[in-house]
Amino acid sequence: MGRQTFELLVLGCASASPTSERYTSSQLLNICERYFLIDCGEGAQIQLRRYKARFQSIDNIFISHLHGDHFFGLPGLLSSMHLLGRQPGLTIHCPAPLKDIMDVMNKVSETRLSFPVTWNFTDNTGFNKLFEDDKVEVWSFPLSHRIACTGFLFREKPLQRKINKEALKRYRISFADIHLLKNGHDVTNEDGILIRNKEVTIDPAPSRSFAYCSDTIYNRNILEYIRGVDLLYHETTFLQDQAQRAAATFHTTAAQAAELARDAGAKQLLMGHYSARYTRLQDFLDEATPVFENCLLATDGKKITI
Ligand SMILES: [Zn+2]
């Protein structure tokens, strides 16, 4: 059996303002058919349609901070969900003032959404669990930007151990015991024989993870939260030629993001949130790759499977 889905779709990769080729920040992450929308820049719903994503399947939206290029798409997306008669609830994980903004918009337009919204306010101090079910956990951690901003860590829960059927053949075993074995326990079967877990099970594939870091100044304090991730998305608003500007505006350069990916032991770095001044994205790869080999460029519509 193949592994369960763990797939990221880039919906927008521009910073500040959309261009004809790049929408502003938004990404859709599918882990085992749970759809997480991460940031919601202007027009995110158009991109969801363009790339044939099932936007009514989104049950959790994560907003990193309240600069417009990260949430201006939210009113439109919620409105379309409403107009399509959505019923299931939606949870929005975000800085608290976003609820006030949405409340005003709904009030002046006399809109009562067709579905309940649960607000889960983020706290940009510490490492906080925002979401958990039987397969996935999502955590927030502080980024350092001009206004309160959090990164997000999406992590598959440890998978169950695999049964080695050949090794288990010689024992009488119940379904309940198989369940215990899959969860790592030793069991004593009905014949009173102790069956050691390591004799009859195999390690599962390691659980996968994705970290999202936008927007932030180069900040080594995030390393503890993103250690060993399979895929690190880190903003690269600028190249080193604008390092001073990056620092002044609380953004990061491609070379700096590559350093963080390398020092965190990430397997891959995805770059994005490019300043509109850059038209040749290859320059980001050229700058980052000598520091960290495994770099990818976010472009609108790009899919990455982990
Ligand atoms: Zn931004």
Side-chain angles (χ1 to χ4, degrees):
M1 198 185 87
R3 295 203 67 178
Q4 286 179 297
T5 311
F6 198 124
E7 188 175 80
L8 185 73
L9 169 65
V10 176
L11 300 167
C13 65
S15 68
S17 301
T19 69
S20 58
E21 281 170 28
R22 305 178 201 151
Y23 277 61
T24 48
S25 291
S26 190
Q27 300 184 0
L28 182 69
L29 180 66
N30 172 358
I31 308 180
C32 308
E33 306 313 308
R34 287 138 180 87
Y35 289 84
F36 302 107
L37 186 70
I38 313 163
D39 281 336
C40 190
E42 188 179 340
Q45 62 168 324
I46 297 168
Q47 297 292 73
L48 286 165
R49 284 190 192 282
R50 178 168 292 149
Y51 302 117
K52 309 212 180 326
R54 300 168 47 198
F55 78 59
Q56 291 288 23
S57 301
I58 296 167
D59 291 325
N60 287 273
I61 298 178
F62 299 83
I63 303 293
S64 62
H65 67 299
L66 296 184
H67 281 151
D69 57 328
H70 295 258
F71 82 94
F72 281 175
L74 191 66
L77 177 63
L78 298 191
S79 172
S80 293
M81 286 175 162
H82 165 73
L83 293 171
L84 290 167
R86 181 188 173 108
Q87 303 268 309
L90 178 72
T91 302
I92 303 176
H93 311 262
C94 62
L98 185 54
K99 178 177 186 298
D100 301 336
I101 297 169
M102 295 310 302
D103 284 350
V104 167
M105 295 184 88
N106 288 330
K107 189 175 162 217
V108 298
S109 63
E110 299 183 13
T111 300
R112 216 189 117 93
L113 294 176
S114 63
F115 54 94
V117 174
T118 302
W119 295 92
N120 182 23
F121 299 139
T122 50
D123 166 3
N124 81 326
T125 58
F127 190 51
N128 302 306
K129 193 187 282 176
L130 301 179
F131 172 91
E132 176 174 24
D133 69 8
D134 58 325
K135 303 264 191 198
V136 186
E137 286 176 355
V138 187
W139 298 75
S140 70
F141 54 89
L143 296 177
S144 181
H145 196 43
R146 302 192 301 279
I147 58 173
C149 186
T150 58
F152 302 111
L153 175 67
F154 298 80
R155 200 158 63 185
E156 230 176 6
K157 285 200 172 162
L159 304 175
Q160 288 192 322
R161 301 189 62 74
K162 287 188 180 159
I163 300 291
N164 178 345
K165 287 191 185 130
E166 206 45 46
L168 200 60
K169 250 186 193 167
R170 52 199 150 104
Y171 301 107
R172 283 211 287 169
I173 195 92
S174 68
F175 281 118
D177 286 346
I178 286 183
H179 184 74
L180 287 169
L181 288 169
K182 282 184 174 172
N183 285 300
H185 303 281
D186 296 339
V187 300
T188 302
N189 75 355
E190 54 197 285
D191 301 325
I193 299 169
L194 174 67
I195 305 171
R196 298 234 180 250
N197 197 286
K198 63 174 190 289
E199 289 170 24
V200 295
T201 68
I202 305 160
D203 289 342
S207 49
R208 294 162 293 179
S209 56
F210 167 62
Y212 178 90
C213 302
S214 186
D215 298 357
T216 182
I217 196 168
Y218 172 73
N219 174 10
R220 297 186 62 82
N221 293 334
I222 66 170
L223 289 174
E224 62 174 303
Y225 307 116
I226 62 172
R227 201 143 268 144
V229 290
D230 293 276
L231 180 65
L232 169 65
Y233 168 73
H234 197 292
E235 68 129 289
T236 54
T237 308
F238 297 106
L239 296 170
Q240 276 301 115
D241 66 322
Q242 298 288 326
Q244 280 191 336
R245 186 167 165 74
T249 55
F250 286 77
H251 286 298
T252 303
T253 68
Q256 290 170 337
E259 263 180 49
L260 291 167
R262 179 195 66 201
D263 296 346
K267 296 199 180 68
Q268 274 189 314
L269 170 66
L270 178 65
M271 299 185 281
H273 197 265
Y274 316 110
S275 161
R277 76 175 59 228
Y278 301 108
T279 48
R280 218 181 84 98
L281 295 185
Q282 180 64 35
D283 293 343
F284 286 81
L285 278 182
D286 292 346
E287 182 174 294
T289 310
V291 183
F292 179 73
E293 217 172 53
N294 216 345
C295 295
L296 297 168
L297 291 171
T299 49
D300 292 15
K302 184 171 191 120
K303 262 188 190 170
I304 298 143
T305 300
I306 303 173

